[in-house]
Amino acid sequence: MSEQRYDFANATFFFFKTIGRRPGGFLAILIAQLIAYAVLVSILFAALAPALATIMRLAQSKSEPEFGEVLAIIGSFGLTGLLGTVLYIIVLVSVQAAWLRLMTRDEVKPVIPLRFGLDELRLLGVNIVLLAIAIVISLFGSVFFVLAGAGGAGLIAAGEGSVWSGLGAGLLGFLFSVAIGVALIWLAIKFAAAPAMTINERAFRVFESFSATRGIVGWMFLSYLVLLVVYLVLGVIVGIIQQIVLFAGFAGSFQAIEQMSTTGVKTAEQVFDMAGQLFSQPGIAASLILFLLLQFIMQVFMEGLWHGVGAYAAVRHSGGDTARTEDIGAPAGSVGDAPHEG
């Protein structure tokens, strides 16, 4: 199957094209992701509530905690951390799979877009393999850096500490760093289509990504470079808007905040009481919610755009957008027409 020409604008903003094609699916996944994050935070907070209550009680009593209480607090934080890690991985993989299904297969699961089935298990396996590859590469990179440092020290020693030997060692280190950086970027782009191919083809795909990115690594690098610039510009704009939102929310409460600060805080209970009074005010609560929503939307769009380049490469490799609508059950042209009755 011949692959279509790399469409730079389409590849770079493939996520936006997906939104335009399926705005309802985009909203469904967006809302489901927001709810999943809220549920995750609520579960973790509820799990930590007993330990936090114990810490507050100990802080108020100013007494030396018993050994059993210390172990209970440590155990609570440890178990919550383990639970949070497992749930976070499940949510993260489910969200990634949902977006990749939409971008590659033009599919949104009904009722609840976030699932944890075969797609997610295969995607989890791909992410683990890619993480393992990254760890191995970092270890080899550390070894090579040590060898380069030893080579530079050898040049300085051979030149008996002359200026030229020092310049030669510095140039060697610079060239080596550039070579390592280029190699890492090349490998990262070569593996970029693996998650999307895994979802698109409903099979475990890792090194098959090399075929999907063959001949387009340079173009994909430019796409990621443009997205990096977009991220920096949007980050500044969204950051300014968030500061304005927070300032507007807290503007009517500056006098109350100043009064709280001059009153003084003696116990942990007073801290929580003041925080409760402060954040229960409608203006502050609304500004904080809007602040978090802006951050969430910014994160979704940037992650979608970043994964969109790999998704475009996977779709392009499978035949492009038209491949999704092909009737694969139809007979090939070489088979001939079906026989007619009568």
Side-chain angles (χ1 to χ4, degrees):
M1 179 183 296
S2 60
E3 294 177 342
Q4 63 186 19
R5 179 182 59 86
Y6 187 88
D7 189 330
F8 180 78
N10 190 12
T12 306
F13 302 104
F14 192 66
F15 184 61
F16 285 152
K17 180 181 179 180
T18 303
I19 296 175
R21 185 176 65 245
R22 294 288 300 275
F26 163 75
L27 287 176
I29 298 176
L30 183 72
I31 294 172
Q33 182 177 351
L34 180 61
I35 293 174
Y37 285 170
V39 170
L40 176 61
V41 172
S42 300
I43 291 174
L44 295 181
F45 183 80
L48 282 177
L52 293 176
T54 302
I55 293 174
M56 287 182 56
R57 179 176 56 80
L58 292 173
Q60 292 173 4
S61 63
K62 297 182 180 181
S63 59
E64 187 71 19
E66 297 181 0
F67 183 70
E69 291 177 325
V70 174
L71 286 181
I73 294 173
I74 295 175
S76 178
F77 275 92
L79 290 175
T80 303
L82 179 60
L83 174 66
T85 301
V86 173
L87 292 178
Y88 177 73
I89 291 174
I90 292 175
V91 171
L92 192 66
V93 174
S94 300
V95 168
Q96 185 184 13
W99 288 119
L100 290 178
R101 267 195 299 268
L102 179 60
M103 286 190 283
T104 60
R105 291 172 8 201
D106 199 26
E107 176 186 346
V108 179
K109 294 293 185 181
V111 185
I112 302 177
L114 304 186
R115 307 292 176 87
F116 196 78
L118 291 178
D119 278 344
E120 288 74 17
L121 287 174
R122 285 189 289 259
L123 187 59
L124 177 60
V126 169
N127 286 324
I128 292 174
V129 171
L130 293 179
L131 178 61
I133 292 174
I135 293 174
V136 171
I137 291 175
S138 65
L139 292 176
F140 276 104
S142 300
V143 173
F144 286 142
F145 269 114
V146 171
L147 293 177
L155 284 177
I156 295 176
E160 297 180 351
S162 66
V163 175
W164 292 109
S165 62
L167 290 176
L171 180 61
L172 177 63
F174 173 75
L175 293 177
F176 181 80
S177 299
V178 170
I180 290 293
V182 171
L184 290 177
I185 292 173
W186 181 85
L187 280 175
I189 294 176
K190 293 299 289 183
F191 283 115
M197 290 182 71
T198 298
I199 296 297
N200 189 40
E201 301 177 14
R202 293 182 173 90
F204 191 83
R205 297 286 184 262
V206 177
F207 293 98
E208 290 82 357
S209 176
F210 280 51
S211 298
T213 56
R214 183 185 296 117
I216 59 172
V217 172
W219 286 111
M220 291 180 68
F221 172 74
L222 291 177
S223 293
Y224 285 123
L225 194 61
V226 169
L227 291 178
L228 181 61
V229 174
V230 170
Y231 175 77
L232 294 176
V233 173
L234 285 181
V236 173
I237 295 174
V238 172
I240 293 174
I241 295 175
Q242 287 176 319
Q243 295 301 320
I244 295 174
V245 167
L246 286 180
F247 180 81
F250 281 83
S253 306
F254 286 152
Q255 184 175 0
I257 295 174
E258 184 179 359
Q259 183 178 359
M260 290 179 183
S261 61
T262 56
T263 302
V265 177
K266 297 180 180 180
T267 65
E269 186 176 5
Q270 289 179 331
V271 174
F272 283 93
D273 287 341
M274 289 182 178
Q277 295 174 12
L278 190 64
F279 295 123
S280 62
Q281 300 184 30
I284 294 179
S287 65
L288 287 176
I289 292 174
L290 185 56
F291 178 92
L292 294 175
L293 281 177
L294 287 172
Q295 191 65 37
F296 169 73
I297 294 173
M298 172 74 173
Q299 175 191 345
V300 169
F301 272 98
M302 290 316 304
E303 289 182 356
L305 288 170
W306 200 258
H307 287 298
V309 180
Y312 171 83
V315 172
R316 172 182 176 272
H317 181 67
S318 65
D321 293 343
T322 58
R324 284 193 291 252
T325 58
E326 286 179 353
D327 182 9
I328 60 175
S334 59
V335 175
D337 296 330
H340 295 279
E341 294 183 359

